[in-house]
PDB file of all heavy atoms in Angstrom:
ATOM      1  N   LYS A   1       0.824  -1.203  -0.012  1.00 76.00           N
ATOM      2  CA  LYS A   1      -0.018   0.016  -0.005  1.00 76.00           C
ATOM      3  C   LYS A   1       0.870   1.259   0.003  1.00 76.00           C
ATOM      4  O   LYS A   1       0.579   2.230  -0.753  1.00 76.00           O
ATOM      5  CB  LYS A   1      -0.931  -0.030   1.227  1.00 76.00           C
ATOM      6  CG  LYS A   1      -1.854   1.198   1.293  1.00 76.00           C
ATOM      7  CD  LYS A   1      -2.680   1.159   2.580  1.00 76.00           C
ATOM      8  CE  LYS A   1      -3.528   2.394   2.674  1.00 76.00           C
ATOM      9  NZ  LYS A   1      -4.294   2.483   3.926  1.00 76.00           N
ATOM     10  N   ALA A   2       1.916   1.240   0.845  1.00 80.00           N
ATOM     11  CA  ALA A   2       2.840   2.400   0.892  1.00 80.00           C
ATOM     12  C   ALA A   2       3.527   2.607  -0.456  1.00 80.00           C
ATOM     13  O   ALA A   2       3.676   3.716  -0.919  1.00 80.00           O
ATOM     14  CB  ALA A   2       3.852   2.210   2.013  1.00 80.00           C
ATOM     15  N   THR A   3       3.917   1.466  -1.081  1.00 80.00           N
ATOM     16  CA  THR A   3       4.557   1.593  -2.400  1.00 80.00           C
ATOM     17  C   THR A   3       3.617   2.184  -3.439  1.00 80.00           C
ATOM     18  O   THR A   3       3.994   3.060  -4.237  1.00 80.00           O
ATOM     19  CB  THR A   3       5.054   0.196  -2.848  1.00 80.00           C
ATOM     20  OG1 THR A   3       5.928  -0.337  -1.812  1.00 80.00           O
ATOM     21  CG2 THR A   3       5.766   0.281  -4.149  1.00 80.00           C
ATOM     22  N   LEU A   4       2.356   1.698  -3.449  1.00 78.00           N
ATOM     23  CA  LEU A   4       1.387   2.233  -4.386  1.00 78.00           C
ATOM     24  C   LEU A   4       1.114   3.724  -4.150  1.00 78.00           C
ATOM     25  O   LEU A   4       1.007   4.520  -5.081  1.00 78.00           O
ATOM     26  CB  LEU A   4       0.088   1.426  -4.268  1.00 78.00           C
ATOM     27  CG  LEU A   4       0.139  -0.010  -4.831  1.00 78.00           C
ATOM     28  CD1 LEU A   4      -1.135  -0.795  -4.507  1.00 78.00           C
ATOM     29  CD2 LEU A   4       0.369   0.024  -6.361  1.00 78.00           C
ATOM     30  N   GLU A   5       1.008   4.059  -2.840  1.00 79.00           N
ATOM     31  CA  GLU A   5       0.802   5.461  -2.555  1.00 79.00           C
ATOM     32  C   GLU A   5       1.947   6.328  -3.004  1.00 79.00           C
ATOM     33  O   GLU A   5       1.749   7.444  -3.555  1.00 79.00           O
ATOM     34  CB  GLU A   5       0.531   5.657  -1.054  1.00 79.00           C
ATOM     35  CG  GLU A   5      -0.820   5.098  -0.587  1.00 79.00           C
ATOM     36  CD  GLU A   5      -0.977   5.210   0.921  1.00 79.00           C
ATOM     37  OE1 GLU A   5       0.050   5.573   1.574  1.00 79.00           O
ATOM     38  OE2 GLU A   5      -2.083   4.970   1.421  1.00 79.00           O
ATOM     39  N   GLU A   6       3.164   5.817  -2.783  1.00 80.00           N
ATOM     40  CA  GLU A   6       4.342   6.569  -3.239  1.00 80.00           C
ATOM     41  C   GLU A   6       4.368   6.692  -4.773  1.00 80.00           C
ATOM     42  O   GLU A   6       4.692   7.774  -5.327  1.00 80.00           O
ATOM     43  CB  GLU A   6       5.610   5.850  -2.739  1.00 80.00           C
ATOM     44  CG  GLU A   6       6.875   6.579  -3.077  1.00 80.00           C
ATOM     45  CD  GLU A   6       7.007   7.935  -2.394  1.00 80.00           C
ATOM     46  OE1 GLU A   6       6.369   8.151  -1.354  1.00 80.00           O
ATOM     47  OE2 GLU A   6       7.681   8.835  -3.000  1.00 80.00           O
ATOM     48  N   ASN A   7       3.990   5.590  -5.456  1.00 80.00           N
ATOM     49  CA  ASN A   7       3.996   5.657  -6.917  1.00 80.00           C
ATOM     50  C   ASN A   7       2.953   6.664  -7.428  1.00 80.00           C
ATOM     51  O   ASN A   7       3.190   7.414  -8.386  1.00 80.00           O
ATOM     52  CB  ASN A   7       3.723   4.246  -7.495  1.00 80.00           C
ATOM     53  CG  ASN A   7       4.870   3.298  -7.290  1.00 80.00           C
ATOM     54  OD1 ASN A   7       6.029   3.730  -7.110  1.00 80.00           O
ATOM     55  ND2 ASN A   7       4.576   1.974  -7.212  1.00 80.00           N
ATOM     56  N   ILE A   8       1.779   6.598  -6.781  1.00 79.00           N
ATOM     57  CA  ILE A   8       0.743   7.578  -7.173  1.00 79.00           C
ATOM     58  C   ILE A   8       1.152   9.005  -6.922  1.00 79.00           C
ATOM     59  O   ILE A   8       0.971   9.876  -7.771  1.00 79.00           O
ATOM     60  CB  ILE A   8      -0.599   7.242  -6.469  1.00 79.00           C
ATOM     61  CG1 ILE A   8      -1.132   5.874  -6.979  1.00 79.00           C
ATOM     62  CG2 ILE A   8      -1.592   8.338  -6.627  1.00 79.00           C
ATOM     63  CD1 ILE A   8      -2.356   5.368  -6.186  1.00 79.00           C
ATOM     64  N   MET A   9       1.759   9.288  -5.732  1.00 82.00           N
ATOM     65  CA  MET A   9       2.220  10.616  -5.449  1.00 82.00           C
ATOM     66  C   MET A   9       3.309  11.007  -6.430  1.00 82.00           C
ATOM     67  O   MET A   9       3.367  12.204  -6.865  1.00 82.00           O
ATOM     68  CB  MET A   9       2.702  10.707  -3.993  1.00 82.00           C
ATOM     69  CG  MET A   9       1.603  10.524  -2.953  1.00 82.00           C
ATOM     70  SD  MET A   9       0.326  11.812  -3.110  1.00 82.00           S
ATOM     71  CE  MET A   9       1.242  13.272  -2.808  1.00 82.00           C
ATOM     72  N   SER A  10       4.232  10.085  -6.768  1.00 83.00           N
ATOM     73  CA  SER A  10       5.286  10.421  -7.711  1.00 83.00           C
ATOM     74  C   SER A  10       4.693  10.739  -9.094  1.00 83.00           C
ATOM     75  O   SER A  10       5.096  11.695  -9.789  1.00 83.00           O
ATOM     76  CB  SER A  10       6.256   9.228  -7.797  1.00 83.00           C
ATOM     77  OG  SER A  10       7.222   9.504  -8.772  1.00 83.00           O
ATOM     78  N   ALA A  11       3.698   9.918  -9.448  1.00 83.00           N
ATOM     79  CA  ALA A  11       3.015  10.212 -10.776  1.00 83.00           C
ATOM     80  C   ALA A  11       2.330  11.568 -10.736  1.00 83.00           C
ATOM     81  O   ALA A  11       2.386  12.342 -11.748  1.00 83.00           O
ATOM     82  CB  ALA A  11       2.054   9.073 -11.118  1.00 83.00           C
ATOM     83  N   ILE A  12       1.695  11.873  -9.643  1.00 84.00           N
ATOM     84  CA  ILE A  12       1.015  13.170  -9.548  1.00 84.00           C
ATOM     85  C   ILE A  12       2.034  14.330  -9.599  1.00 84.00           C
ATOM     86  O   ILE A  12       1.819  15.366 -10.276  1.00 84.00           O
ATOM     87  CB  ILE A  12       0.172  13.265  -8.233  1.00 84.00           C
ATOM     88  CG1 ILE A  12      -0.998  12.260  -8.368  1.00 84.00           C
ATOM     89  CG2 ILE A  12      -0.319  14.643  -7.968  1.00 84.00           C
ATOM     90  CD1 ILE A  12      -1.808  12.130  -7.044  1.00 84.00           C
ATOM     91  N   ARG A  13       3.196  14.143  -8.867  1.00 85.00           N
ATOM     92  CA  ARG A  13       4.224  15.194  -8.929  1.00 85.00           C
ATOM     93  C   ARG A  13       4.770  15.326 -10.340  1.00 85.00           C
ATOM     94  O   ARG A  13       5.035  16.431 -10.809  1.00 85.00           O
ATOM     95  CB  ARG A  13       5.315  14.855  -7.922  1.00 85.00           C
ATOM     96  CG  ARG A  13       4.964  15.126  -6.459  1.00 85.00           C
ATOM     97  CD  ARG A  13       6.196  15.084  -5.577  1.00 85.00           C
ATOM     98  NE  ARG A  13       6.784  13.729  -5.526  1.00 85.00           N
ATOM     99  CZ  ARG A  13       6.480  12.830  -4.676  1.00 85.00           C
ATOM    100  NH1 ARG A  13       5.556  13.085  -3.729  1.00 85.00           N
ATOM    101  NH2 ARG A  13       7.042  11.613  -4.671  1.00 85.00           N
ATOM    102  N   ASP A  14       4.976  14.144 -10.982  1.00 86.00           N
ATOM    103  CA  ASP A  14       5.543  14.243 -12.346  1.00 86.00           C
ATOM    104  C   ASP A  14       4.518  14.947 -13.301  1.00 86.00           C
ATOM    105  O   ASP A  14       4.922  15.764 -14.164  1.00 86.00           O
ATOM    106  CB  ASP A  14       5.799  12.844 -12.864  1.00 86.00           C
ATOM    107  CG  ASP A  14       6.961  12.169 -12.171  1.00 86.00           C
ATOM    108  OD1 ASP A  14       7.762  12.914 -11.548  1.00 86.00           O
ATOM    109  OD2 ASP A  14       7.070  10.914 -12.238  1.00 86.00           O
ATOM    110  N   ARG A  15       3.263  14.636 -13.095  1.00 87.00           N
ATOM    111  CA  ARG A  15       2.206  15.258 -13.960  1.00 87.00           C
ATOM    112  C   ARG A  15       2.142  16.781 -13.669  1.00 87.00           C
ATOM    113  O   ARG A  15       1.999  17.602 -14.592  1.00 87.00           O
ATOM    114  CB  ARG A  15       0.882  14.636 -13.714  1.00 87.00           C
ATOM    115  CG  ARG A  15      -0.236  15.096 -14.642  1.00 87.00           C
ATOM    116  CD  ARG A  15       0.134  14.844 -16.091  1.00 87.00           C
ATOM    117  NE  ARG A  15      -0.902  15.287 -16.978  1.00 87.00           N
ATOM    118  CZ  ARG A  15      -1.948  14.562 -17.448  1.00 87.00           C
ATOM    119  NH1 ARG A  15      -2.021  13.312 -17.057  1.00 87.00           N
ATOM    120  NH2 ARG A  15      -2.791  15.105 -18.279  1.00 87.00           N
ATOM    121  N   ALA A  16       2.262  17.114 -12.373  1.00 89.00           N
ATOM    122  CA  ALA A  16       2.248  18.545 -12.027  1.00 89.00           C
ATOM    123  C   ALA A  16       3.437  19.274 -12.618  1.00 89.00           C
ATOM    124  O   ALA A  16       3.309  20.404 -13.140  1.00 89.00           O
ATOM    125  CB  ALA A  16       2.179  18.684 -10.509  1.00 89.00           C
ATOM    126  N   ASP A  17       4.626  18.602 -12.509  1.00 88.00           N
ATOM    127  CA  ASP A  17       5.846  19.233 -13.107  1.00 88.00           C
ATOM    128  C   ASP A  17       5.686  19.396 -14.602  1.00 88.00           C
ATOM    129  O   ASP A  17       6.053  20.416 -15.208  1.00 88.00           O
ATOM    130  CB  ASP A  17       7.064  18.374 -12.765  1.00 88.00           C
ATOM    131  CG  ASP A  17       7.407  18.387 -11.296  1.00 88.00           C
ATOM    132  OD1 ASP A  17       6.975  19.342 -10.582  1.00 88.00           O
ATOM    133  OD2 ASP A  17       8.080  17.482 -10.843  1.00 88.00           O
ATOM    134  N   TYR A  18       5.108  18.352 -15.218  1.00 88.00           N
ATOM    135  CA  TYR A  18       4.925  18.404 -16.706  1.00 88.00           C
ATOM    136  C   TYR A  18       3.965  19.572 -17.072  1.00 88.00           C
ATOM    137  O   TYR A  18       4.229  20.333 -18.015  1.00 88.00           O
ATOM    138  CB  TYR A  18       4.380  17.079 -17.178  1.00 88.00           C
ATOM    139  CG  TYR A  18       3.930  17.101 -18.642  1.00 88.00           C
ATOM    140  CD1 TYR A  18       4.890  17.117 -19.679  1.00 88.00           C
ATOM    141  CD2 TYR A  18       2.615  17.156 -18.980  1.00 88.00           C
ATOM    142  CE1 TYR A  18       4.491  17.148 -21.002  1.00 88.00           C
ATOM    143  CE2 TYR A  18       2.174  17.218 -20.310  1.00 88.00           C
ATOM    144  CZ  TYR A  18       3.143  17.226 -21.306  1.00 88.00           C
ATOM    145  OH  TYR A  18       2.748  17.272 -22.618  1.00 88.00           O
ATOM    146  N   GLU A  19       2.869  19.648 -16.270  1.00 88.00           N
ATOM    147  CA  GLU A  19       1.912  20.740 -16.563  1.00 88.00           C
ATOM    148  C   GLU A  19       2.561  22.105 -16.341  1.00 88.00           C
ATOM    149  O   GLU A  19       2.323  23.053 -17.072  1.00 88.00           O
ATOM    150  CB  GLU A  19       0.690  20.585 -15.690  1.00 88.00           C
ATOM    151  CG  GLU A  19      -0.161  19.362 -16.036  1.00 88.00           C
ATOM    152  CD  GLU A  19      -0.722  19.386 -17.415  1.00 88.00           C
ATOM    153  OE1 GLU A  19      -0.907  20.491 -17.974  1.00 88.00           O
ATOM    154  OE2 GLU A  19      -1.000  18.306 -18.014  1.00 88.00           O
ATOM    155  N   MET A  20       3.349  22.164 -15.266  1.00 90.00           N
ATOM    156  CA  MET A  20       4.029  23.491 -15.031  1.00 90.00           C
ATOM    157  C   MET A  20       5.000  23.848 -16.160  1.00 90.00           C
ATOM    158  O   MET A  20       5.072  24.959 -16.571  1.00 90.00           O
ATOM    159  CB  MET A  20       4.771  23.430 -13.693  1.00 90.00           C
ATOM    160  CG  MET A  20       3.866  23.360 -12.445  1.00 90.00           C
ATOM    161  SD  MET A  20       4.761  23.276 -10.906  1.00 90.00           S
ATOM    162  CE  MET A  20       5.613  24.851 -10.921  1.00 90.00           C
ATOM    163  N   ARG A  21       5.766  22.782 -16.598  1.00 88.00           N
ATOM    164  CA  ARG A  21       6.655  23.061 -17.733  1.00 88.00           C
ATOM    165  C   ARG A  21       5.903  23.447 -18.998  1.00 88.00           C
ATOM    166  O   ARG A  21       6.318  24.317 -19.753  1.00 88.00           O
ATOM    167  CB  ARG A  21       7.522  21.812 -17.971  1.00 88.00           C
ATOM    168  CG  ARG A  21       8.591  21.533 -16.906  1.00 88.00           C
ATOM    169  CD  ARG A  21       9.610  20.548 -17.427  1.00 88.00           C
ATOM    170  NE  ARG A  21       8.998  19.238 -17.785  1.00 88.00           N
ATOM    171  CZ  ARG A  21       8.813  18.237 -16.921  1.00 88.00           C
ATOM    172  NH1 ARG A  21       9.227  18.391 -15.624  1.00 88.00           N
ATOM    173  NH2 ARG A  21       8.260  17.146 -17.275  1.00 88.00           N
ATOM    174  N   ARG A  22       4.731  22.792 -19.178  1.00 90.00           N
ATOM    175  CA  ARG A  22       3.915  23.081 -20.344  1.00 90.00           C
ATOM    176  C   ARG A  22       3.372  24.525 -20.274  1.00 90.00           C
ATOM    177  O   ARG A  22       3.356  25.237 -21.240  1.00 90.00           O
ATOM    178  CB  ARG A  22       2.813  22.119 -20.461  1.00 90.00           C
ATOM    179  CG  ARG A  22       1.960  22.255 -21.700  1.00 90.00           C
ATOM    180  CD  ARG A  22       0.917  21.185 -21.832  1.00 90.00           C
ATOM    181  NE  ARG A  22       0.117  21.391 -23.026  1.00 90.00           N
ATOM    182  CZ  ARG A  22      -0.952  20.642 -23.365  1.00 90.00           C
ATOM    183  NH1 ARG A  22      -1.301  19.630 -22.550  1.00 90.00           N
ATOM    184  NH2 ARG A  22      -1.630  20.900 -24.461  1.00 90.00           N
ATOM    185  N   VAL A  23       2.914  24.899 -19.062  1.00 90.00           N
ATOM    186  CA  VAL A  23       2.413  26.251 -18.861  1.00 90.00           C
ATOM    187  C   VAL A  23       3.535  27.294 -19.115  1.00 90.00           C
ATOM    188  O   VAL A  23       3.319  28.322 -19.782  1.00 90.00           O
ATOM    189  CB  VAL A  23       1.810  26.394 -17.444  1.00 90.00           C
ATOM    190  CG1 VAL A  23       1.565  27.883 -17.142  1.00 90.00           C
ATOM    191  CG2 VAL A  23       0.542  25.603 -17.326  1.00 90.00           C
ATOM    192  N   ALA A  24       4.739  26.938 -18.597  1.00 89.00           N
ATOM    193  CA  ALA A  24       5.898  27.838 -18.819  1.00 89.00           C
ATOM    194  C   ALA A  24       6.222  27.958 -20.293  1.00 89.00           C
ATOM    195  O   ALA A  24       6.480  29.063 -20.845  1.00 89.00           O
ATOM    196  CB  ALA A  24       7.084  27.373 -18.005  1.00 89.00           C
ATOM    197  N   ALA A  25       6.134  26.825 -21.018  1.00 89.00           N
ATOM    198  CA  ALA A  25       6.447  26.826 -22.473  1.00 89.00           C
ATOM    199  C   ALA A  25       5.367  27.643 -23.210  1.00 89.00           C
ATOM    200  O   ALA A  25       5.726  28.413 -24.113  1.00 89.00           O
ATOM    201  CB  ALA A  25       6.499  25.381 -22.982  1.00 89.00           C
ATOM    202  N   LEU A  26       4.058  27.462 -22.788  1.00 91.00           N
ATOM    203  CA  LEU A  26       3.018  28.234 -23.487  1.00 91.00           C
ATOM    204  C   LEU A  26       3.171  29.724 -23.201  1.00 91.00           C
ATOM    205  O   LEU A  26       2.978  30.557 -24.082  1.00 91.00           O
ATOM    206  CB  LEU A  26       1.664  27.754 -22.983  1.00 91.00           C
ATOM    207  CG  LEU A  26       1.250  26.325 -23.478  1.00 91.00           C
ATOM    208  CD1 LEU A  26      -0.077  25.939 -22.819  1.00 91.00           C
ATOM    209  CD2 LEU A  26       1.145  26.307 -24.991  1.00 91.00           C
TER     210      LEU A  26
END
């Protein structure tokens, strides 16, 4: 469960970083 939660949080952070980079690029 802890591993899944960490993976989900990592995926959320990666998506947030990607969106931030995309916003910055736009």
Side-chain angles (χ1 to χ4, degrees):
K1 181 184 177 184
T3 303
L4 288 172
E5 290 177 352
E6 183 65 26
N7 291 335
I8 291 173
M9 292 301 298
S10 177
I12 292 173
R13 284 194 295 268
D14 292 340
R15 186 60 182 267
D17 292 340
Y18 172 75
E19 293 297 333
M20 291 179 63
R21 288 194 300 270
R22 186 176 179 183
V23 169
L26 290 175

